[in-house]
Amino acid sequence: MSLKVAQNALLSRTLPQFGRHPLLYSTYRTLFDFTPITKTRRDFKQKKLAGYSMEQLYAVVADVENYYTFVPFCKKSHVYAKKPGSLKADLIIGFPPLNESYTSSVTLIRPTLVKAECVDGRLFNYLLTAWQFSPGLKDIPQSCVIDFMVAFEFKSALHSQLSNLFFDQIVKQMEYAFIQEAKNRYGGPSIKSHVLVANKS
């Protein structure tokens, strides 16, 4: 099977990946079907074919305790209240002029889902990130499809204006950092990553 044919087969999955997962279905409907997008809110979704297995990428994204070592702008990541399927983490992000902390509640379903939602913080009215992993190419076991989403709204008008200026750069750097960390841990990818679908608002 050629790579192009395989990619088309992956794209033929008509139901959005976020709609398939029961823990994300109601969130997906709220975010993308019924809630009007405000000027201060930013949303990004991307589907990508990557040259690492679901288990490998899950392990990287679920390693919240070490985010400070490889996630851009993350200065601290302290994990607590850890139990099977969930954890809480205090994170500090810092890039001029921001240096703020927030608490994230993380849901973990190995090896398919890592979802994090801000539950306490001065920086965001709302912050949700989710990574969902599904099988990639049939003839390349070390591959998977990543459905990545982030939606957020800053409390500060100034921070909202800054996010409008740097949103694309920040999201791309963050997504790239996880792929790069997978490379550091597991070596080069089996195939070059390909964006299948991307949209933002």
Side-chain angles (χ1 to χ4, degrees):
M1 178 186 293
S2 70
L3 182 59
K4 185 66 175 178
V5 171
Q7 290 175 1
N8 289 337
L10 291 169
L11 282 170
S12 67
R13 301 170 184 174
T14 55
L15 183 64
Q17 289 294 311
F18 293 114
R20 291 181 176 181
H21 204 292
L23 286 179
L24 282 176
Y25 182 65
S26 60
T27 301
Y28 180 88
R29 286 170 59 87
T30 301
L31 283 175
F32 301 110
D33 292 338
F34 301 115
T35 302
I37 300 300
T38 67
K39 292 182 180 180
T40 57
R41 177 152 167 175
R42 301 304 305 263
D43 298 80
F44 176 85
K45 293 187 297 178
Q46 179 176 269
K47 181 192 292 286
K48 173 179 279 190
L49 175 65
Y52 294 96
S53 69
M54 294 169 59
E55 180 64 40
Q56 288 172 331
L57 287 176
Y58 171 89
V60 172
V61 179
D63 190 14
V64 181
E65 193 164 14
N66 287 307
Y67 275 12
Y68 75 96
T69 66
F70 66 90
V71 176
F73 315 117
C74 183
K75 305 301 182 183
K76 179 183 177 182
S77 48
H78 172 66
V79 169
Y80 62 99
K82 192 172 183 178
K83 57 185 180 180
S86 68
L87 60 84
K88 286 189 177 181
D90 290 333
L91 298 104
I92 295 178
I93 59 171
F95 53 93
L98 306 179
N99 190 24
E100 297 283 355
S101 63
Y102 69 94
T103 299
S104 186
S105 178
V106 183
T107 300
L108 304 165
I109 302 177
R110 193 181 199 107
T112 60
L113 176 69
V114 180
K115 184 182 75 169
E117 187 167 8
C118 177
V119 293
D120 179 37
R122 295 172 296 173
L123 190 57
F124 298 100
N125 282 326
Y126 182 85
L127 171 64
L128 174 71
T129 61
W131 299 75
Q132 188 174 349
F133 308 104
S134 55
L137 302 175
K138 291 182 179 180
D139 54 344
I140 304 180
Q142 191 164 310
S143 68
C144 74
V145 173
I146 306 168
D147 281 280
F148 170 66
M149 65 165 288
V150 58
F152 65 89
E153 182 178 58
F154 283 108
K155 290 185 176 180
S156 162
L158 173 61
H159 293 162
S160 295
Q161 291 173 358
L162 289 171
S163 74
N164 289 335
L165 292 174
F166 301 110
F167 177 73
D168 289 349
Q169 179 184 357
I170 291 171
V171 170
K172 288 177 181 178
Q173 286 187 26
M174 186 172 74
E175 192 269 343
Y176 174 80
F178 287 94
I179 299 295
Q180 185 61 38
E181 181 65 14
K183 183 177 180 180
N184 293 340
R185 297 186 186 192
Y186 306 114
S190 61
I191 56 172
K192 186 178 179 180
S193 295
H194 297 273
V195 174
L196 301 173
V197 179
N199 56 70
K200 60 185 177 180
S201 59

